[in-house]
Amino acid sequence: ILDGSIPSTKVHEDEHCLAFRDIAPAAPTHVVLIPKEKAGMSQLSKATPANKEVLGHLMLVAGEIGRKECPEGFRVVVNDGVQGAQSVYHLHLHVIGGRQMAWPPG
């Protein structure tokens, strides 16, 4: 997706990250946000202090997308590892909203 070989519907792009619409949305709004830097970014649990700026940037962008697309509220999800339901091992955030979210998730 980053190199354009897989098509996506972009929502945001800057020098640090790319956000695009999920191809199998879990809610009316479902945007996936990925860092362009891959080093040490396969899982949140494997991030290091060197990734701090990128991780902070991802959270700020997730908030911007959420405010714009889901003014009544949204959820930001990071899946980590097998039991965290991570299926793609490139760290990514899901911005999900447009309907009432249930708790607990599962």
Side-chain angles (χ1 to χ4, degrees):
I1 293 174
L2 274 175
D3 67 8
S5 62
I6 298 172
S8 65
T9 304
K10 292 180 185 178
V11 172
H12 172 92
E13 184 171 19
D14 62 34
E15 66 275 12
H16 301 293
C17 64
L18 172 66
F20 53 91
R21 303 226 178 262
D22 195 289
I23 61 169
T29 296
H30 190 161
V31 176
V32 178
L33 180 57
I34 59 175
K36 288 185 173 179
E37 174 185 323
K38 292 183 181 182
M41 302 292 274
S42 62
Q43 294 174 248
L44 183 58
S45 62
K46 295 187 178 187
T48 69
N51 304 121
K52 182 168 53 173
E53 286 186 42
V54 172
L55 292 171
H57 182 75
L58 291 172
M59 291 300 289
L60 287 172
V61 171
E64 291 171 9
I65 292 168
R67 278 191 303 276
K68 179 181 175 188
E69 300 222 358
C70 306
E72 298 299 317
F74 57 94
R75 181 173 288 169
V76 176
V77 176
V78 178
N79 300 322
D80 190 287
V82 174
Q83 289 191 0
Q86 186 174 8
S87 59
V88 175
Y89 283 82
H90 180 163
L91 177 74
H92 57 284
L93 285 68
H94 298 264
V95 180
I96 304 170
R99 67 170 172 80
Q100 181 63 53
M101 298 285 117
W103 194 261

